[in-house]
Amino acid sequence: MQNDILKILLTPEEIAEKIKILGKQISKDYKDKDLILVSVLKGSVVFMADIMRAIDINCIIDFMSVSSYGAKSEHSGVVKIIKDLDISLKGKDLLIIEDILDSGMTLNYILDILSKREPKSIKICTFLNKPERRQVDIHPDYSCFEVPDKFVVGYGLDYNESYRNLPYIGILKPEIYN
């Protein structure tokens, strides 16, 4: 697995420090609000676990699973809900927790669906932001890191369901996914 990584982009220490800072900011911004964190599985599960522990105000969590890539490295253009939320969003302050915001197509679809459920507010918190690949006008409200247009894996992000357990963000060698 390690041999498939071209370069380590973000170390575990850099990741932990940024999440600590972001958790404090979210705690401040959502003080006295009815916060729901919604993790978009599977990629955001590691980030969700760390960011929710860095938030020191009351919040509840739920999970949503969607598919848009399959075994490919490019967005398929079709978003399929695999697991929907278990709780009502009506009147709640929703913070969507994502692993990476690149094309924005999947998140745009999710925002459209969830906004119809009448939350009080919806904001986006993404671990990685890759604006070079954006295909829709969508921007994160919170973001840990901006990354270049490279295929990155680790810390929950995968290629064909592998590499999620790497404790860092690494650039995958092109020969792996080409």
Side-chain angles (χ1 to χ4, degrees), residues 6 25 29 32 39 48 59 67 73 82 101 106 113 132 142-143 145 163 169 172 174:
L6 181 67
Q25 184 63 51
D29 294 350
D32 301 322
S39 174
M48 174 70 145
C59 63
S67 175
S73 62
I82 297 167
L101 177 53
T106 301
I113 289 171
E132 290 177 53
Y142 302 95
S143 178
F145 301 97
Y163 308 100
I169 291 294
L172 192 62

Side-chain angles (χ1 to χ4, degrees), residues 90-148:
K90 189 170 184 170
K92 308 287 187 186
D93 294 293
L94 172 62
L95 185 58
I96 298 172
I97 308 296
E98 258 287 27
D99 56 352
I100 187 167
L101 177 53
D102 54 13
S103 74
M105 293 174 65
T106 301
L107 196 50
N108 194 51
Y109 178 83
I110 291 170
L111 283 170
D112 183 55
I113 289 171
L114 297 182
S115 66
K116 293 174 184 169
R117 299 181 188 181
E118 302 178 40
K120 184 177 180 181
S121 68
I122 301 179
K123 290 191 176 182
I124 300 165
C125 177
T126 187
F127 177 59
L128 301 178
N129 185 23
K130 195 187 286 187
E132 290 177 53
R133 296 201 16 111
R134 202 79 80 243
Q135 295 179 17
V136 295
D137 187 25
I138 190 170
H139 307 281
D141 299 282
Y142 302 95
S143 178
C144 285
F145 301 97
E146 190 167 301
V147 292

Side-chain angles (χ1 to χ4, degrees), residues 30-93:
Y30 283 91
K31 185 179 181 202
D32 301 322
K33 294 193 178 190
D34 205 359
L35 179 60
I36 296 177
L37 303 176
V38 170
S39 174
V40 182
L41 299 173
K42 298 176 187 170
S44 70
V45 70
V46 177
F47 179 45
M48 174 70 145
D50 287 347
I51 196 70
M52 68 186 225
R53 288 184 302 216
I55 294 172
D56 64 5
I57 60 168
N58 189 46
C59 63
I60 59 175
I61 64 169
D62 204 349
F63 299 89
M64 182 174 215
S65 181
V66 298
S67 175
S68 60
Y69 287 85
K72 302 174 188 165
S73 62
E74 295 292 323
H75 195 286
S76 69
V78 176
V79 180
K80 177 179 154 186
I81 295 177
I82 297 167
K83 186 227 176 282
D84 206 343
L85 300 177
D86 296 324
I87 57 178
S88 171
L89 301 179
K90 189 170 184 170
K92 308 287 187 186
D93 294 293

Side-chain angles (χ1 to χ4, degrees), residues 1-2 8 10-13 15-16 46 50 127 153-156 163-170:
M1 199 168 51
Q2 307 282 344
I8 293 176
L10 299 166
T11 67
E13 296 78 19
I15 293 168
V46 177
D50 287 347
F127 177 59
V153 294
Y155 196 74
Y163 308 100
R164 291 188 194 276
N165 58 319
L166 292 174
Y168 55 79
I169 291 294

